[in-house]
Amino acid sequence: MFRKTVIISFAILALLSIRAQADRQEQVIDYLSNITHNLQIQHSGVYNCWLLHFSNKSVLSPMLDNIAQRLNNQDVSLLQSNHRGQHVRIFREPNLVIILWGNQQQTFDNFYTSQWIVNIPPECPTIVLFELDETETDQPRKIGDYFQTRSVLYFALIAINKDAVYCFHYQPLRITSHSGLPTLDQLFFDRLQTMQFKTLVAGYVKDYYTSIYCEKLPGEDIRLFLLFAETQQLTFHLQQLRCNSNESLAQCLSRYNPIHLMLNRFFMAQYDKFAVSGVAMEQFAIATPKGRLLTVWEIMIKPFQHSVWGMILGILVAYQIIHQLKPTLFSNNLLALALFGFDKRQLVLSKSFEKITACALIVLFFQLKCAYEAKLVSYITEAPRVPDAKSVEDLRERNITVHYRNFNITLVHKLDGMVQFYGKNQFEFDGITIVENRAALITEKLFADNMDGYGMQYTLLSENVYDAIPFYVFGAKSLLVRRFHNFQQRVFEAGMQQRWRREYYNCFLWYIIRDRLKYTHHSERTYDGSSIIISYNHLKPLMLFFFVQWTLEVMVFGIELLVGILERSQIGVI
C-alpha cells in the first residue's frame, strides 16, 4: 500500500513538473513575442531575426515551432537553422537572435555553432534559452564566457524550466540574476557603461593627422578620438607604432601589446563593415620643386620673346645690307643714332626719307629699351625660373619620377611608369616630386616658403591625382563602431574639423614668426631686412653686360670717327 502511494505521489509530482515546465515555456514564448514587438517598433525597415536551434532534444521542437509561428505572425523576417546548418555570409545580419541552447559540451565543441555566434553583430540583442541545471552552479557563467570570448556582449540567458533570468556586465564578466521576467531596459542595458576597466590602448602611426604641432596641439585624428573618449567616459592610452616600410600593419601590430583601436585613417580597396567612413573626401596632389633659376644669359634673353629678338636682328641685318648696297642712302648711322644719339652729320641736312626712318627707329628702340630695362629690374627683385610644371603631362614630358610612401599609387593610370617608392620615414621638400594629401603638402609649402633652410621651394599641381574617402578601422565587433560613427557625424556637422584646421594654420604662422624672432638676436641669422636690399652681387652680371655693350659701341664709334678723319685727310691731300 505504501509503495503504491509513493508511486502515485511521484507520478503526480512528475505531472505537476511537466505542467509547470509547459507553463514556463508558454510564459517564455509570450515574453519573447513582447520583446520582439517592442524592438520591432523601434526599428525602421525589415526586422530580421535568427532562430537557432542548438539543442538535440526533440521535446523542444514544439516550443521552437511556437516561437517561429509567433514571430511570423508579427511580420518578422525569420531565418531558422540548427546545429548542423552552416552560416553563409550572404545572410542578412540579424536585429535579434534567439538561441535554443543544447547540451553544454556538445554545443561548445560544435564548429557550426561557433560560426553562427561569431557572426552575430556586436550590439545585436541575443536571447539564449537553456535548461537550468541546478546541480551545476557555474552553468550560466560558462555560457557567458563562451559568448564573451566571441565578442557577443548584448546577450541574456532565460531558463525554460525554472524562474531564472541572467544578464551580464562587461569587462570583467559579472552576472545579474532576475526572478520573474525583467523589462527590456533591464535585459539589454548599455554594456559599454558597465566596463570597470575604462582605459583602452590606442595605437597610431605618425602622419600629418596624428602629429603634435606647436608642442601642444595634437593632430586632427588624435583630437577627434580624445574628444570621443571623453564623451564615452573612457581613457585612451596613446602608443605610437614604429612600423617598417616592408611590413604590413598586421605584422607591425603583432610586435606590440594588444591594441584596442587604431587612430589613423586608412584607404581601403575593399569595404569593411567594421570601418567608419571619414565623412569628407581627401584630395591627393603632387608637389614638385619649382623650376630652376635662370642663368645670367638666360635672364638677358628672357625679357623679349623670340619673335621680338628676331625682329631686332632683322632690322640690324636689313640696315647692314642696305648700307652695303647703297652707302649714300643714309648720311648718319641710324642704329647708333637711335640707340645712343651718336651722329656723324647734322640731321637737319639729311634727306626727308632718312629723317623719317631715324625718327621711327628712335621711337621703336626707346620703347624696346624701356620695356627691356623694366623687365630686368623686376628680375632683380624676384629671380626668374624655368616655368613650373602645371600638370601631370608636364611632369611626364620632363621625365620626372613621382614618389609615394603611405599608399600605393601604382594603379593610378595617369601616373603609369612614373611612380617610385619613397623609403624615408617622412616626406621632406628635398628635391623630389612627391604625392601626398593636399593638406599636408600645403603645410609643408607654408614652412618651406617662409623659413630659411627648411626645404626647397615647391609648387603644387592644381589637379588632384585622385580623391578617396578615408576610413577609421576598429576591431572586429567593437562596441565603439556605431557610437563613433554617430559622434563623428555630429562633430563634422558642427564644424569642429574646420575650427581645428584654423587653429593649426594659426599655430603654423605663430611658429614661423617665433622662429624668425628667435634668430633675430643671433649673429648667424638675422631678419633685419638686409636680405631684400639690392647688393653689388645682384647687379654684377648686369653691370658686366652693359659695360661690355657700351665698350663695343664706343669702339664702333671710335672706328667710324677715325675712318671719317682719314677720308677728310685724303680729300684735303687731293
Side-chain angles (χ1 to χ4, degrees):
M1 183 67 181
F2 175 76
R3 185 176 179 181
K4 187 175 181 180
T5 303
V6 172
I7 295 174
I8 295 174
S9 300
F10 275 109
I12 293 174
L13 290 175
L15 291 174
L16 293 175
S17 176
I18 294 173
R19 180 59 184 174
Q21 186 169 357
D23 292 341
R24 174 64 179 176
Q25 291 182 5
E26 188 65 28
Q27 185 183 29
V28 169
I29 294 173
D30 292 338
Y31 182 58
L32 291 177
S33 178
N34 292 331
I35 288 178
T36 305
H37 175 74
N38 292 333
L39 292 174
Q40 187 178 10
I41 61 177
Q42 300 174 15
H43 177 78
S44 59
V46 178
Y47 193 79
N48 300 303
C49 178
W50 286 0
L51 183 57
L52 308 178
H53 186 198
F54 295 149
S55 174
N56 293 328
K57 293 185 178 182
S58 59
V59 295
L60 295 180
S61 297
M63 182 179 180
L64 181 70
D65 296 338
N66 290 335
I67 295 174
Q69 184 178 0
R70 288 286 192 93
L71 296 181
N72 285 323
N73 293 337
Q74 295 178 208
D75 297 326
V76 173
S77 177
L78 189 63
L79 186 149
Q80 290 183 255
S81 180
N82 57 22
H83 62 281
R84 295 187 181 89
Q86 184 177 1
H87 176 268
V88 182
R89 291 188 176 274
I90 62 173
F91 290 157
R92 290 182 178 179
E93 287 193 347
N95 305 111
L96 174 66
V97 176
I98 300 175
I99 300 175
L100 271 72
W101 199 252
N103 177 271
Q104 193 89 325
Q105 194 61 41
Q106 183 182 8
T107 305
F108 287 167
D109 296 339
N110 188 281
F111 172 77
Y112 296 127
T113 298
S114 177
Q115 288 301 303
W116 281 100
I117 295 176
V118 164
N119 284 279
I120 297 176
E123 295 185 349
C124 177
T126 302
I127 299 175
V128 181
L129 307 178
F130 75 111
E131 289 185 310
L132 181 61
D133 187 356
E134 295 181 353
T135 62
E136 187 180 358
T137 57
D138 206 26
Q139 181 188 13
R141 176 170 290 277
K142 289 182 179 179
I143 299 177
D145 290 335
Y146 179 84
F147 277 87
Q148 186 187 28
T149 56
R150 286 155 180 77
S151 300
V152 179
L153 305 176
Y154 278 77
F155 68 96
L157 272 58
I158 300 179
I160 59 176
N161 59 337
K162 299 291 182 182
D163 182 11
V165 177
Y166 300 93
C167 300
F168 295 85
H169 296 265
Y170 175 51
Q171 209 179 47
L173 194 68
R174 290 153 289 156
I175 299 177
T176 300
S177 302
H178 299 273
S179 60
L181 298 174
T183 62
L184 192 61
D185 294 338
Q186 293 175 307
L187 200 63
F188 299 118
F189 46 83
D190 189 352
R191 264 42 172 185
L192 192 63
Q193 298 302 321
T194 68
M195 291 174 55
Q196 290 185 348
F197 308 106
K198 293 184 177 292
T199 300
L200 302 178
V201 179
Y204 69 95
V205 178
K206 188 176 181 180
D207 60 13
Y208 174 75
Y209 293 106
T210 56
S211 299
I212 304 296
Y213 301 108
C214 300
E215 303 175 357
K216 61 179 181 180
L217 290 180
E220 182 178 317
D221 287 346
I222 291 183
R223 294 183 77 170
L224 179 65
F225 276 93
L226 290 180
L227 185 59
F228 170 68
E230 183 179 348
T231 60
Q232 298 296 321
Q233 299 178 351
L234 300 173
T235 301
F236 286 165
H237 173 69
L238 304 182
Q239 182 171 356
Q240 182 179 351
L241 308 182
R242 302 186 183 278
C243 303
N244 299 324
S245 58
N246 58 349
E247 65 179 353
S248 64
L249 180 61
Q251 294 173 333
C252 181
L253 288 174
S254 64
R255 296 191 285 106
Y256 292 86
N257 292 327
I259 304 295
H260 296 99
L261 71 158
M262 288 291 296
L263 305 187
N264 296 87
R265 55 183 67 186
F266 297 94
F267 303 90
M268 301 181 300
Q270 295 181 347
Y271 175 73
D272 184 354
K273 67 179 181 180
F274 301 120
V276 179
S277 71
V279 180
M281 299 289 287
E282 191 164 340
Q283 299 176 341
F284 291 85
I286 293 178
T288 187
K290 284 183 173 294
R292 65 170 178 82
L293 293 172
L294 298 180
T295 64
V296 174
W297 306 115
E298 287 175 332
I299 292 176
M300 296 303 172
I301 297 175
K302 183 176 175 58
F304 292 152
Q305 294 180 352
H306 296 302
S307 59
V308 178
W309 287 115
M311 180 194 69
I312 296 174
L313 180 62
I315 293 175
L316 297 177
V317 172
Y319 176 79
Q320 292 298 329
I321 292 175
I322 293 173
H323 184 71
Q324 293 294 328
L325 296 178
K326 195 171 184 180
T328 60
L329 181 62
F330 299 116
S331 304
N332 299 276
N333 186 337
L334 297 186
L335 295 179
L337 182 65
L339 290 172
F340 309 105
F342 297 150
D343 181 17
K344 288 196 304 181
R345 294 183 173 84
Q346 295 294 328
L347 188 60
V348 294
L349 302 178
S350 302
K351 302 176 184 178
S352 299
F353 178 73
E354 184 177 356
K355 293 179 182 179
I356 295 173
T357 305
C359 291
L361 290 176
I362 289 172
V363 173
L364 174 64
F365 280 101
F366 175 77
Q367 292 177 340
L368 292 175
K369 285 172 60 179
C370 291
Y372 187 83
E373 292 169 359
K375 280 287 187 180
L376 288 181
V377 170
S378 68
Y379 297 158
I380 293 174
T381 58
E382 183 178 357
R385 297 175 176 270
V386 173
D388 299 335
K390 301 297 183 181
S391 64
V392 175
E393 292 303 319
D394 291 343
L395 298 177
R396 188 179 296 277
E397 291 176 1
R398 301 179 189 187
N399 197 26
I400 294 177
T401 300
V402 180
H403 293 79
Y404 68 94
R405 182 173 65 92
N406 291 328
F407 44 88
N408 192 349
I409 60 172
T410 56
L411 299 179
V412 179
H413 299 303
K414 67 170 63 177
L415 298 179
D416 284 343
M418 299 175 60
V419 298
Q420 182 176 330
F421 181 73
Y422 185 76
K424 294 185 179 180
N425 292 330
Q426 60 184 11
F427 279 128
E428 297 176 354
F429 279 4
D430 57 359
I432 66 168
T433 297
I434 57 180
V435 57
E436 183 56 274
N437 74 74
R438 186 174 290 274
L441 293 179
I442 291 175
T443 300
E444 290 294 324
K445 189 175 185 300
L446 178 66
F447 281 93
D449 291 346
N450 293 280
M451 294 180 62
D452 289 349
Y454 187 87
M456 297 178 58
Q457 289 190 337
Y458 269 60
T459 182
L460 304 184
L461 271 59
S462 58
E463 63 175 315
N464 294 324
V465 177
Y466 67 94
D467 298 335
I469 186 166
F471 288 86
Y472 298 99
V473 181
F474 293 80
K477 305 178 72 172
S478 172
L479 289 175
L480 300 176
V481 174
R482 184 175 300 177
R483 289 172 171 82
F484 181 79
H485 175 70
N486 296 332
F487 169 79
Q488 188 205 20
Q489 284 188 330
R490 292 197 298 269
V491 167
F492 179 80
E493 293 169 356
M496 291 296 294
Q497 290 178 324
Q498 296 300 324
R499 177 184 175 184
W500 292 339
R501 292 177 184 179
R502 285 196 300 270
E503 290 182 6
Y504 298 142
Y505 185 77
N506 294 335
C507 160
F508 299 150
L509 294 179
W510 172 82
Y511 188 86
I512 292 171
I513 295 172
R514 188 194 69 171
D515 181 76
R516 292 191 174 188
L517 294 176
K518 176 181 177 181
Y519 287 98
T520 300
H521 305 289
H522 293 73
S523 58
E524 68 273 13
R525 179 177 174 189
T526 60
Y527 284 93
D528 55 0
S530 60
S531 61
I532 62 174
I533 297 176
I534 298 175
S535 65
Y536 173 73
N537 290 330
H538 295 138
L539 296 177
K540 184 177 179 180
L542 293 178
M543 295 294 294
L544 178 62
F545 174 78
F546 286 122
F547 177 77
V548 172
Q549 183 185 28
W550 279 90
T551 301
L552 292 175
E553 291 296 338
V554 170
M555 290 175 61
V556 171
F557 175 73
I559 292 172
E560 290 182 353
L561 183 62
L562 181 61
V563 171
I565 293 173
L566 292 176
E567 290 178 353
R568 292 191 187 95
S569 63
Q570 290 178 359
I571 294 173
V573 171
I574 293 174

